[in-house]
Amino acid sequence: MTAAQDRSMATAHQGWLGLYQRGIGGQPLAGAALPQLMARGTLLAEFVLERGQHGPLPLVHLATHTGWPRLLSLALAGDGRLMLRQRQGEAHAAVSLAAADFLGSGGRFRLTYRWNAPGRHSLLTLESLDGGTIRQAVGANPLPMPQADLAALLAGRGAAVHGDALRWLALSEGTVPVGPGAAFAPSTPVETPSGPRPAMQIRAGDFVQTADAGAQEVLWSGRVALPALGSLAPIRLGAGRFGRTRDIWVLPHTRIAMTGSTVEYMFGTDCVLVEARHLLDSVSASQIERPSMLAWHGILLRGHHLLVADGQQIESLYTGALAAAPMLAATTALADIAAMGKLPTHHRPAIRELRPYEATALAAARARFHAPVAA
């Protein structure tokens, strides 16, 4: 990563306080101070389950029995519900989410717990990162978190115990969006009718030049700050193999257009979409975890199209049927445009998307033949 790219992806925390990684421990962010009492905030975490693994299974358990007794428990119950329980003195709060149908298949999961004690509401979100399923439950009367509990959660020791399934967690004073909203580094040069411009300089109402549909108006352009861990760890697509002159940095779920004789031979079409995480080969495409927060940018068009970044075709944001789920849309980075009724429905990707097993086969062919297949 060049110095310019690093600066464009770095973020002044945007409310993030710190993070915890299994095997490494707590990582407070420089310059971020824990508040005495956090009335509003977000807990973001990822965990992994084996197929058939079920509760009761603790993910996070924080208990203080002396003085002012407190409890914060995040766990999978025996009936397959994801449950968050709080107790502070005589006050109690809880929110649960039924998820047995997709937890049983195992895999990687991300949970987001957002609370607003003054507003008396909370939101628990669970995403299956392998299955693409998302589910939410609304809670009432959440309790604010005192500084000692925040410190224990980030340290992962003392009053707090983190379960073996937990891979990492992070805490933010802000409201962290879920779902779509980001794809690539803010400095990524995106082709426009007047030439390439950094993604972070493109605004709603501007036009971008797409590979499949010419000039298209931008409906939304925005930035999200996220931990560079787990399924959110950045992927570097190497210069020469992907970008013409520079590395392209993307989030793992971002779909990349791939072309070439190998693609044509294997799939009977000249161009396909592949999630960046399926392109990893440690040489031309590599993934880097680090205990920090990175900024990511997203560009939404009326249709789903192929943006051009330094010669590499990358998808614009894909919303699917999100517009038909207004409660979910209101919790994403696209909440404002959804509230105005301007969130488009994308019935299908711009071009064919490879299934995971197809992407694996293509990656093996690339490694075997070293064919230039990047669009």
Side-chain angles (χ1 to χ4, degrees):
M1 184 181 300
T2 67
Q5 288 172 318
D6 194 59
R7 286 193 298 271
S8 80
M9 295 177 70
T11 171
H13 307 326
Q14 295 187 6
W16 289 102
L17 300 173
L19 48 83
Y20 163 87
Q21 289 177 271
R22 171 155 298 284
I24 297 179
Q27 301 283 332
L29 297 176
L34 297 179
Q36 291 295 320
L37 189 69
M38 199 153 83
R40 302 177 182 84
T42 302
L43 185 155
L44 184 67
E46 286 188 6
F47 62 95
V48 177
L49 299 179
E50 299 294 332
R51 179 179 290 275
Q53 189 175 9
H54 55 80
L57 181 69
L59 297 174
V60 174
H61 188 83
L62 187 153
T64 302
H65 303 289
T66 58
W68 183 41
R70 301 187 304 281
L71 169 72
L72 173 66
S73 173
L74 184 61
L76 302 180
D79 59 3
R81 287 179 299 153
L82 177 64
M83 297 190 63
L84 187 140
R85 296 182 296 129
Q86 281 184 292
R87 180 168 70 89
Q88 295 177 6
E90 299 299 318
H92 296 262
V95 57
S96 67
L97 186 154
D101 53 339
F102 66 87
L103 284 172
S105 61
R108 303 170 304 147
F109 300 89
R110 183 185 305 135
L111 66 88
T112 308
Y113 174 62
R114 302 185 345 193
W115 73 94
N116 183 335
R120 297 188 174 185
H121 62 82
S122 64
L123 181 71
L124 183 62
T125 302
L126 181 65
E127 300 173 72
S128 170
L129 300 175
D130 298 313
T133 310
I134 186 168
R135 195 160 296 171
Q136 295 181 316
V138 177
N141 301 313
L143 305 178
M145 291 195 191
Q147 186 181 70
D149 290 357
L150 298 173
L153 286 173
L154 293 177
R157 60 178 184 269
V161 177
H162 296 330
D164 292 340
L166 187 74
R167 291 298 177 261
W168 61 266
L169 66 79
L171 286 167
S172 172
E173 288 186 282
T175 300
V176 179
V178 300
F184 36 76
S187 63
T188 303
V190 175
E191 199 66 39
T192 75
S194 58
R197 290 168 56 192
M200 59 188 172
Q201 295 180 8
I202 295 175
R203 304 286 184 265
D206 292 346
F207 280 78
V208 292
Q209 190 72 24
T210 68
D212 59 314
Q216 295 290 316
E217 184 179 5
V218 175
L219 296 183
W220 180 90
S221 180
R223 190 182 299 194
V224 178
L226 296 168
L229 297 173
S231 69
L232 299 174
I235 288 181
R236 179 193 65 84
L237 302 176
R241 185 73 168 179
F242 292 92
R244 288 199 187 103
T245 64
R246 56 183 288 160
D247 294 343
I248 304 293
W249 292 84
V250 298
L251 281 169
H253 65 265
T254 304
R255 293 179 291 194
I256 310 300
M258 307 294 290
T259 64
S261 58
T262 304
V263 169
E264 293 182 32
Y265 174 77
M266 294 180 67
F267 307 109
T269 184
D270 60 356
C271 192
V272 294
L273 284 175
V274 184
E275 287 190 20
R277 64 191 177 100
H278 295 309
L279 299 174
L280 295 176
D281 59 11
S282 300
V283 180
S284 62
S286 56
Q287 189 168 30
I288 304 170
E289 269 198 324
R290 60 184 188 182
S292 62
M293 302 297 162
L294 295 180
W296 297 98
H297 205 89
I299 292 176
L300 176 68
L301 309 177
R302 192 169 306 282
H304 183 247
H305 296 295
L306 301 178
L307 304 170
V308 181
D310 194 32
Q312 174 62 55
Q313 296 175 24
I314 303 176
E315 68 168 341
S316 61
L317 287 181
Y318 182 75
T319 62
L322 183 61
M327 292 184 65
L328 173 59
T331 66
T332 71
L334 306 173
D336 289 345
I337 191 171
M340 294 186 290
K342 296 182 179 180
L343 186 64
T345 295
H346 295 154
H347 297 286
R348 64 184 63 84
I351 56 175
R352 178 186 170 186
E353 178 190 8
L354 295 190
R355 298 178 178 89
Y357 73 88
E358 293 175 317
T360 299
L362 177 60
R366 290 176 68 228
R368 188 164 59 250
F369 299 114
H370 303 285
V373 297

